[in-house]
């Protein structure tokens, strides 16, 4: 914790706080520290328990993802206060855990929109890598009915799922494009030069185009 405190950079904190993350440690520096520490599950649990954002990010880099129990991960996703901690927890830990599918189903139906967004992130992973058994038409039904008025984090996760369905599954592409066009979610989202817009119709079209060029 003392070393993390020394790595605090006011400029980094200012940038991070614009995205809702209350820490001032450069993420590249954090990754270098994690590489030096290597995997240490007990240390990871101790760092997580500090409730400090930088410490929790470091915990997620040095933990053993498969070592967490289902209830432990459920508690952690509810404790993850900032977007970056939530994102790394889902992507670096939960996706590699044997309880991921059980948690996907439970979280997707959760009343807490941030927890539900974790369920949708896991669903998006399955849409791309293991779609067998998923009812893609039913997912599109839910997205069509609920995405427009969903809270920000949940809306973002549902939109990602919509785009992924359109990108990966040609037989559902027209409907995914149509839903995106009608709902107009993230149509005006500011996008840096060279980056792809998160507006689903643009996102789907661009990624499909790139794959066809290869």
């Amino acid at each position: 914790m003392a070393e993390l405190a020394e790595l605090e950079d006011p400029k980094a904190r200012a940038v991070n706080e614009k995205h809702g993350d209350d820490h001032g440690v450069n993420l590249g520096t954090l990754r270098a520290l994690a590489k030096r520490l290597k995997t240490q599950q007990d240390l990871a649990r101790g760092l997580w328990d500090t409730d400090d954002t930088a410490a929790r990010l470091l915990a997620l880099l040095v933990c053993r993802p498969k070592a967490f129990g289902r209830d432990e991960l459920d508690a952690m996703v509810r404790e993850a206060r900032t977007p970056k901690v939530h994102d790394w927890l889902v992507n670096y830990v939960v996706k590699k855990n044997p309880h991921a599918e059980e948690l996907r189903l439970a979280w997707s139906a959760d009343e807490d929109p941030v927890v539900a967004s974790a369920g949708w992130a896991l669903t998006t992973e399955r849409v791309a890598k293991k779609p067998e058994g998923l009812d893609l038409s039913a997912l599109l039904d839910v997205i069509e009915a609920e995405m427009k008025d969903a809270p920000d984090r949940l809306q973002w996760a549902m939109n990602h799922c919509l785009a992924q369905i359109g990108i990966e599954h040609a037989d559902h592409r027209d409907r995914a494009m149509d839903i995106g066009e009608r709902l107009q979610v993230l149509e005006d989202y500011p996008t840096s030069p060279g980056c792809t817009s998160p507006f689903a119709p643009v996102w789907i079209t661009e990624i499909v185009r790139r794959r066809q060029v290869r």
Side-chain angles (χ1 to χ4, degrees):
M1 292 303 292
E3 188 166 352
L4 285 173
E6 289 179 4
L7 294 173
E8 174 78 18
D9 178 354
K11 291 182 180 179
R13 178 174 285 275
V15 171
N16 291 330
E17 285 181 343
K18 290 180 181 179
H19 303 288
D21 294 308
D22 56 349
H23 75 95
V25 181
N26 176 278
L27 296 181
T29 304
L30 202 63
R31 292 181 189 279
L33 177 56
K35 189 174 181 180
R36 194 187 83 214
L37 291 170
K38 299 181 180 178
T39 302
Q40 297 190 50
Q41 183 67 8
D42 289 342
L43 174 61
R45 285 196 167 101
L47 288 168
W48 183 270
D49 288 343
T50 65
D51 195 29
D52 176 83
T53 295
R56 284 188 162 180
L57 291 172
L58 182 59
L60 298 171
L61 293 173
V62 302
C63 73
R64 188 175 292 106
K66 294 180 180 179
F68 292 105
R70 180 218 179 277
D71 292 345
E72 191 172 14
L73 288 175
D74 184 69
M76 289 170 73
V77 85
R78 295 173 194 281
E79 294 168 1
R81 296 174 295 102
T82 65
K84 185 64 70 177
V85 171
H86 181 271
D87 181 55
W88 282 19
L89 173 61
V90 173
N91 287 291
Y92 296 173
V93 180
V94 181
K95 286 181 179 179
K96 300 176 183 177
N97 186 275
H99 300 288
E101 178 61 12
E102 182 184 353
L103 290 168
R104 180 185 78 83
L105 294 170
W107 289 344
S108 294
D110 201 276
E111 293 183 359
D112 183 330
V114 176
V115 175
S117 75
W120 277 93
L122 295 174
T123 298
T124 302
E125 173 88 348
R126 275 205 58 190
V127 166
K129 297 183 177 179
K130 193 180 179 183
E132 297 78 18
L134 286 179
D135 187 338
L136 298 179
S137 293
L139 286 175
L140 290 173
D141 289 343
V142 176
I143 291 168
E144 187 171 20
E146 300 178 11
M147 181 173 73
K148 181 75 173 178
D149 298 318
D152 288 352
R153 302 261 290 274
L154 178 55
Q155 184 184 71
W156 186 274
M158 295 176 83
N159 183 70
H160 190 181
C161 190
L162 173 66
Q164 204 69 54
I165 291 172
I167 291 165
E168 302 290 346
H169 302 279
D171 50 335
H172 293 279
R173 187 169 298 149
D174 287 347
R175 186 180 175 203
M177 295 278 285
D178 179 65
I179 290 171
E181 290 286 1
R182 282 188 291 104
L183 298 186
Q184 297 289 293
V185 168
L186 300 176
E187 182 196 17
D188 299 322
Y189 191 85
T191 305
S192 301
C195 295
T196 302
S197 169
F199 180 47
V202 174
W203 190 352
I204 294 167
T205 301
E206 176 60 17
I207 300 303
V208 171
R209 182 194 68 77
R210 289 182 194 176
R211 291 183 178 182
Q212 290 172 342
V213 168
R214 288 177 188 172

